[in-house]
């Protein structure tokens, strides 16, 4: 980006910017036609876009100003926003192209926005899980393996994600390959990492204890993700359904994981000891005793190698995960100022506002089994009523946090899947 790095070649190395920002103004809108929104947050929105060759991509559009600041204008963007975007781009370019990470194609900026052009995925993890016909522990294990493969690569290139959760896992292709997404809170492992970042139920104890941490904070988050998918509940919880209480339970280790399944499922429907052993290794409270992403892949292998034919369906665990709020209910930002500004920028180039008729192609094969040789046992696609998915009274608050950004007051149901950040 113009703040620190500037390079539109996704395969090239990061280098300091040699071009003034003015030389790159409006490049994005000349090259891309914006389409329907995929998600909105306080600081950013993700939209579909089409390039000159009609290739469909996704674009993360980040406002250059924090909420409450006057925009637009000719003055420079907020320095903190600029620094955050700089770090996101730097980390993303280090990650490069990998089977289990969403790829960054280009980055642009103008006097109002930053634009991160990325690979468009086919579906969210939730969409795939809800329509997977054989949601056994082995099938879930295959999805978790993809996530761990992505994490292993991140850590290998020196990046710590800091916000591993189900909503930051997208799926691509006929095999529903899982890819890690959203590197907005990522950091370089070569620096001392401090501060509270991410989404409370997935934060590690060392992060909440406000001591330095490393890439194993991601392994913990992945362990929480696996726990909630396999058991239908969070490993740490509090009777008080508040962000503060949840973070305190994780920080102090109270209400420790009991590895009991979501209520009303029945004891005969539960993950095996293989799953428990894997999750326990990821959730060691002491980082030195916790597995790395590479070691976790090895620990998961017995789950992958198991015979799936007699495994029960774990679809009810997905219901439990939805019930406790493991997946965010996407909140659409009502601030129309950004949309109006984007419409005006598109109007100058394309002679009309954003093309909201441009939508993501409908997938007809989300339920396709990933293993061609394991068709003996089939389960009906899972369905959940809308009221179950949005029952705020039973959900754990989901506020994405960054201690270095302005504080925000949120209600329990006021959640955001993109970039809400807060400070205690």
């Amino acid at each position: 980006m113009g703040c620190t790095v500037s390079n539109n070649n996704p395969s090239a190395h990061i280098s300091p910017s040699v071009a003034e920002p003015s030389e790159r103004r409006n490049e994005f809108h000349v090259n891309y036609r914006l389409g329907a929104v995929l998600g909105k947050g306080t600081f950013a929105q993700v939209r579909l876009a089409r390039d000159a060759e009609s290739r469909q991509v996704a674009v993360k559009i980040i406002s250059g100003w924090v909420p409450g600041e006057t925009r637009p204008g000719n003055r420079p963007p907020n320095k903190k926003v600029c620094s955050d975007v700089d770090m996101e781009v730097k980390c993303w370019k280090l990650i490069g192209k990998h089977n289990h990470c969403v790829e960054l194609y280009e980055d642009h900026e103008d006097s109002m926005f930053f634009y991160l052009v990325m690979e468009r995925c086919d579906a969210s993890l939730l969409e795939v899980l809800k329509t997977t016909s054989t949601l056994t522990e082995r099938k879930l294990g295959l999805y978790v393996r993809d996530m761990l493969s992505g994490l292993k690569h991140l850590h290998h290139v020196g990046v710590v994600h800091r916000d591993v959760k189900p909503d930051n896992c997208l799926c691509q292709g006929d095999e529903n390959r899982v890819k890690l997404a959203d590197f907005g809170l990522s950091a370089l492992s070569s620096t001392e990492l401090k501060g509270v970042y991410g989404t409370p139920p997935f934060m590690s104890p060392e992060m909440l204890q406000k001591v330095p941490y490393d890439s194993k904070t991601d392994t913990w988050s992945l362990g929480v993700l696996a726990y909630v998918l396999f058991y239908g509940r969070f490993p740490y919880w509090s009777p008080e359904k508040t962000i503060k209480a949840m973070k305190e339970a994780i920080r102090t280790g109270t209400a420790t994981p009991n590895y009991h399944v979501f209520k009303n499922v029945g004891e005969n429907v539960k993950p095996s000891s293989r799953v428990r052993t894997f999750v326990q290794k990821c959730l060691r409270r002491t980082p030195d005793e916790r597995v790395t992403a590479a070691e976790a892949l090895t620990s998961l292998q017995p789950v992958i190698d198991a015979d799936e034919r007699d495994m029960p369906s774990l679809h009810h665990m997905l219901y439990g995960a939805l019930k406790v709020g493991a997946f965010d209910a996407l909140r659409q930002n009502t601030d129309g100022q950004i949309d109006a500004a984007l419409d005006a920028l598109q109007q100058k180039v394309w002679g009309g506002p954003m093309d909201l008729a441009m939508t993501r192609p409908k997938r007809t094969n989300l339920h396709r089994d990933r293993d061609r040789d394991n068709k003996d046992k089939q389960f009906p696609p899972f369905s959940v009523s809308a009221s179950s998915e949005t029952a705020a009274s039973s959900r754990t608050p989901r506020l994405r946090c960054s201690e270095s950004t302005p504080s925000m007051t949120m209600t329990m149901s006021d959640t955001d899947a993109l970039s809400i950040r807060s400070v205690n």
Side-chain angles (χ1 to χ4, degrees):
M1 307 302 290
C3 306
T4 302
V5 295
S6 175
N7 193 333
N8 286 342
N9 183 350
S11 63
H13 296 290
I14 301 168
S15 60
S17 176
V18 295
E20 292 298 323
S22 59
E23 295 179 29
R24 307 181 63 225
R25 302 298 188 210
N26 301 319
E27 278 187 17
F28 173 80
H29 292 280
V30 169
N31 295 326
Y32 291 96
R33 185 79 163 107
L34 287 173
V37 68
L38 296 175
K40 290 186 180 182
T42 303
F43 291 84
Q45 58 177 252
V46 177
R47 287 185 176 273
L48 288 172
R50 188 173 56 244
D51 65 11
E53 298 177 356
S54 297
R55 178 186 63 165
Q56 201 174 85
V57 297
V59 183
K60 183 175 182 179
I61 304 169
I62 306 168
S63 173
W65 294 270
V66 297
E69 288 188 316
T70 303
R71 63 177 188 267
N74 293 322
R75 59 187 175 80
N78 177 279
K79 289 183 179 179
K80 183 64 183 67
V81 175
C82 188
S83 175
D84 288 344
V85 176
D86 241 11
M87 179 56 67
E88 181 172 3
V89 172
K90 183 178 292 186
C91 289
W92 214 339
K93 288 184 175 181
L94 279 173
I95 294 165
K97 185 177 179 65
H98 188 269
N99 283 338
H100 299 293
C101 299
V102 173
E103 183 181 0
L104 176 69
Y105 294 146
E106 296 177 356
D107 62 277
H108 295 268
E109 65 180 276
D110 57 31
S111 60
M112 298 175 64
F113 302 108
F114 302 99
Y115 308 89
L116 307 185
V117 183
M118 71 189 87
E119 167 185 12
R120 177 190 63 78
C121 289
D122 296 321
S124 68
L125 178 63
L126 178 59
E127 288 175 306
V128 169
L129 292 180
K130 287 171 65 175
T131 54
T132 298
S133 59
T134 54
L135 196 58
T136 62
E137 70 172 46
R138 182 176 181 276
K139 188 68 66 179
L140 284 173
L142 290 170
Y143 293 130
V144 173
R145 183 176 66 180
D146 286 356
M147 302 170 200
L148 279 170
S149 296
L151 269 187
K152 178 183 175 182
H153 174 69
L154 257 68
H155 299 166
H156 177 72
V157 299
V159 174
V160 181
H161 191 286
R162 299 202 294 188
D163 197 21
V164 176
K165 60 180 179 178
D167 291 314
N168 285 340
C169 298
L170 303 177
C171 297
Q172 181 72 292
D174 289 344
E175 298 300 312
N176 293 323
R177 179 185 295 124
V178 180
K179 298 196 171 201
L180 293 181
D182 195 348
F183 304 103
L185 296 181
S186 296
L188 303 178
S189 58
S190 58
T191 60
E192 184 178 65
L193 299 180
K194 290 183 179 180
V196 179
Y197 295 82
T199 306
F202 302 92
M203 292 176 180
S204 66
E206 61 268 27
M207 177 181 283
L208 292 172
Q209 290 162 3
K210 299 186 178 180
V211 298
Y213 51 85
D214 57 21
S215 60
K216 286 187 178 180
T217 192
D218 286 344
T219 312
W220 173 279
S221 301
L222 192 282
V224 176
L225 187 159
Y227 191 102
V228 78
L229 291 183
F230 283 112
Y231 294 93
R233 60 201 307 171
F234 286 121
Y236 289 85
W237 60 276
S238 171
E240 300 177 52
K241 293 183 174 65
T242 64
I243 295 169
K244 183 178 180 180
M246 167 66 77
K247 292 163 76 172
E248 184 64 13
I250 299 168
R251 187 185 70 82
T252 60
T254 56
T256 55
N258 57 22
Y259 296 89
H260 292 168
V261 297
F262 175 65
K263 62 182 180 179
N264 300 328
V265 174
E267 284 301 311
N268 61 320
V269 181
K270 62 180 181 181
S272 67
S273 60
R274 297 181 295 269
V275 169
R276 178 168 180 157
T277 298
F278 162 71
V279 176
Q280 284 177 327
K281 290 181 178 180
C282 294
L283 293 181
R284 300 290 187 196
R285 293 189 58 82
T286 304
D288 287 345
E289 299 175 0
R290 193 181 308 151
V291 291
T292 64
E295 292 167 342
L297 276 168
T298 301
S299 300
L300 181 65
Q301 197 57 44
V303 179
I304 305 298
D305 292 339
D307 189 343
E308 190 175 34
R309 287 175 293 183
D310 295 324
M311 290 182 182
S313 170
L314 298 183
H315 272 129
H316 284 84
M317 307 309 174
L318 180 57
Y319 174 80
L322 286 163
K323 192 78 171 175
V324 299
F327 295 89
D328 275 329
L330 184 61
R331 180 178 64 87
Q332 297 294 331
N333 191 341
T334 56
D335 182 2
Q337 221 176 346
I338 292 177
D339 291 350
L342 291 171
D343 275 334
L345 290 168
Q346 289 272 290
Q347 178 84 36
K348 290 180 180 179
V349 177
W350 298 93
M354 293 181 287
D355 181 10
L356 300 185
M358 185 199 308
T359 57
R360 189 175 63 187
K362 291 185 179 297
R363 286 285 304 277
T364 59
N365 60 341
L366 285 180
H367 64 281
R368 180 177 292 183
D369 289 324
R370 300 181 65 183
D371 296 308
R372 303 291 190 259
D373 58 347
N374 211 327
K375 300 288 187 178
D376 294 339
K377 193 165 186 177
Q378 298 288 324
F379 298 97
F382 178 67
S383 62
V384 177
S385 64
S387 59
S388 298
E389 292 193 40
T390 57
S393 61
S394 61
R395 290 169 58 90
T396 300
R398 295 293 312 286
L399 181 60
R400 184 178 179 187
C401 300
S402 166
E403 282 199 329
S404 56
T405 50
S407 61
M408 302 180 68
T409 302
M410 307 290 290
T411 63
M412 284 178 55
S413 59
D414 196 6
T415 56
D416 180 44
L418 285 175
S419 56
I420 289 183
R421 311 179 183 207
S422 76
V423 176
N424 285 339

